[in-house]
Amino acid sequence: MFCYQCEQTDHSNGKPGCASAKGNCGKDATTADLQDLLIHAVKGIAQYSALARGLGRPDREADRFILYAMFTTLTNVNFNAARFVAMLREAAQHRDRVKKAYETLAFAQGVAVQEPAGPARWQPGANVGELQAQARLVGVDAGFETLGADIVGLRALVLYGLKGVCAYAHHARVLGYESEDVYADVEAALEFLARAPVQANALLEHALALGSVNLKVMELLDAANTGRFGNQQPAAVRMTPVAGKAILVSGHDLGDLETLLEATQDSGVQIYTHGELLPAHAYPKLKAYPHLAGNYGGAWQDQQADFANFPGPVLMTSNCLIEPLPQYRQRVFTTGPVGWPGVRHLEHGAFAPLVQAAFALPGFHESAPEETVTVGFARHTVLGVADKVIDAVKAGQIRHFFLIGGCDGAAPGRNYYTEFAEAAPDDTVVMTLGCNKYRFNRHAFGDIGGIPRLLDLGQCNDSYSAIRIAVALADAFECGVNDLPLTLVISWFEQKAAAVLLTLLALGIRNIRLGPTLPAFLTPGVLQILVEQFGIQPIGDAHADLAAALARKAA
């Protein structure tokens, strides 16, 4: 195996990347190889899908499979090799169906039939051994010795950004929101990668183009979340348990949470969110359920302690799964793209076994003293008081805005974000999103003239809100986003974060501070390009970076 798609990447072997029998995320070599091969197979579907689309015949079933398959290969999503063997067979079936439809259509329209090379011609091996042998030829580091680290790194930047795009698009799709333009863009990106590009400029151009695609996808997901559940509203979320039977829901999927809330209504079972689902409490339709009791635990990397201590079953709905420990493994269920060998997987909405487990387990014997955090400051909330914010800036009450957000993780150096946020002066506003918020969301930031100094914009999925807020402020002050008293201090971990970073770069946003460590696929050569063109800066000392940000804007 070789994998360097996330911050857990092994750096101990000279060439950065997890290359042993097991990655640092817990993914074994067989699963890693099968994931690489699935990406190859999906490229083949896209090659024929793009041709069929060009003749006016898109294939919605194949497009949906592409999003789902790509999502399963993200960090900490699916570790079940058997599921990937099945998806590889399914990928070949989709490819063959789309190919046949394309050829029939081309013949009917009198168009010469094209026969794409590469992934489009792949045929699945007869067993796992043969599939692994195929995978070794098409892994993310294929051609490393001849192409060099920079080209392979840029190619990975395109692939990993595309994985994030597909994950966000899948989140929107399961809520009933789809876009033919997005499907066409995803197909085009996969078809581009299938041609094995080796030109640095072309790869960087496609990476930035994916940033623009991801903006469309995040807008679609924003419409899906607000259209289904209402606009976010400020809400105090209980962070301590109440007595009673309990289910914990982790991941990102609001639709699964709603389905479970409906299934447990009037049952006496309390539902708790975990990790990235904390912002669910800000949506009117979800918080209307009285048994959405609160949030339990912290960010995803705390789950082994959180899940072990939780006295009920746990449902994982999307990325952020860590190997379930023996003391609670039998209480964990997965759904959607998530999987772990030996852990029970439930099809969407088929949550009866989960509810039965809740009744069989003890739940919380007594309520703990109430503690809360406030969420619900997505774009509708903030823009609803934009006049007050603008007046406070003009009056000198608000000197600077910091967006301190992104993915959390267990790597050393992440207390930088805590130090940065807590050291931000009292005349500054801290916006946050993603699970990075758990680093400081219990700190008492206070307010400025009634405007809270800490504004929780939501999940990493809600990055669109941050962009809309920044653009609205720039319009109000008749300047560009880069001219605002705004500093972005971003923590990255996996491929959704890569997609969001590409979106920010595509929008021309400069001087982003990124950490705690830079992605391994951003080689020194690739990083230099990003520094020169976009002013990307690795994080340093929190207090020094804070002072530099304030000084730059003051000047």
Side-chain angles (χ1 to χ4, degrees), residues 399-543:
R399 179 172 31 147
H400 204 88
F401 297 89
F402 294 101
L403 176 62
I404 307 173
C407 314
D408 203 5
R414 286 187 175 269
N415 53 343
Y416 166 96
Y417 298 96
T418 308
E419 294 174 13
F420 195 109
E422 294 183 356
D426 290 344
D427 59 354
T428 63
V429 171
V430 174
M431 299 183 291
T432 188
L433 48 74
C435 56
N436 174 278
K437 66 170 66 80
Y438 285 103
R439 292 279 166 178
F440 48 80
N441 68 346
R442 296 200 186 197
H443 179 73
F445 285 90
D447 65 85
I448 301 174
I451 301 168
R453 286 194 55 236
L454 178 64
L455 302 176
D456 186 341
L457 307 185
Q459 297 181 338
C460 66
N461 299 10
D462 294 308
S463 297
Y464 181 72
S465 272
I467 291 168
R468 285 288 300 273
I469 291 168
V471 170
L473 289 174
D475 289 344
F477 289 108
E478 298 181 346
C479 66
V481 171
N482 292 316
D483 300 315
L484 287 171
L486 169 66
T487 299
L488 278 67
V489 186
I490 305 299
S491 57
W492 89 283
F493 184 81
E494 41 72 77
Q495 298 78 63
K496 287 181 177 177
V500 172
L501 177 62
L502 291 178
T503 297
L504 296 174
L505 298 183
L507 289 169
I509 296 176
R510 296 183 54 82
N511 302 314
I512 298 168
R513 288 198 178 272
L514 184 65
T517 56
L518 293 177
F521 53 86
L522 292 187
T523 63
V526 175
L527 178 61
Q528 187 59 35
I529 294 172
L530 298 181
V531 169
E532 291 174 356
Q533 294 193 24
F534 303 103
I536 288 282
Q537 304 171 70
I539 64 170
D541 173 78
H543 295 277

Side-chain angles (χ1 to χ4, degrees), residues 48-262:
Y48 275 111
S49 291
L51 289 171
R53 185 178 295 277
L55 297 181
R57 187 70 59 83
D59 188 305
R60 182 62 62 88
E61 185 180 354
D63 290 330
R64 290 172 172 173
F65 176 80
I66 287 172
L67 297 186
Y68 179 85
M70 292 286 282
F71 198 167
T72 63
T73 71
L74 264 69
T75 300
N76 290 48
V77 175
N78 199 312
F79 301 78
N80 192 336
R83 291 266 298 275
F84 285 101
V85 171
M87 277 190 282
L88 283 164
R89 310 290 183 209
E90 189 177 353
Q93 293 170 2
H94 281 293
R95 191 268 324 277
D96 291 345
R97 185 190 70 256
V98 176
K99 175 185 177 182
K100 182 177 180 180
Y102 157 69
E103 291 175 344
T104 300
L105 193 62
F107 180 79
Q109 294 184 9
V111 176
V113 173
Q114 298 184 45
E115 297 183 9
R121 300 184 182 183
W122 167 79
Q123 295 295 331
N127 52 51
V128 172
E130 290 185 11
L131 292 172
Q132 283 188 276
Q134 292 177 333
R136 295 186 190 105
L137 302 176
V138 297
V140 69
D141 61 340
F144 186 90
E145 300 300 329
T146 56
L147 299 175
D150 290 349
I151 295 299
V152 171
L154 280 169
R155 189 177 65 195
L157 178 61
V158 175
L159 174 61
Y160 298 154
L162 181 57
K163 285 189 179 190
V165 168
C166 289
Y168 284 137
H170 177 79
H171 281 306
R173 189 201 76 74
V174 295
L175 292 176
Y177 285 68
E178 300 176 87
S179 165
E180 286 299 334
D181 286 345
V182 168
Y183 284 136
D185 290 335
V186 168
E187 289 170 3
L190 286 165
E191 193 274 335
F192 168 74
L193 288 171
R195 287 185 269 123
V198 297
Q199 297 297 321
N201 289 340
L203 286 162
L204 182 60
E205 179 182 330
H206 272 74
L208 294 177
L210 275 175
S212 297
V213 174
N214 192 54
L215 181 61
K216 292 192 291 187
V217 171
M218 289 193 299
E219 181 179 12
L220 186 69
L221 180 55
D222 179 86
N225 288 337
T226 57
R228 178 84 165 260
F229 308 112
N231 296 334
Q232 285 193 33
Q233 299 172 353
V237 183
R238 186 180 178 117
M239 302 294 284
T240 51
V242 296
K245 302 292 186 178
I247 296 174
L248 187 62
V249 188
S250 192
H252 300 75
D253 200 290
L254 298 176
D256 284 330
L257 177 61
E258 181 190 41
T259 301
L260 182 59
L261 286 167
E262 291 175 350

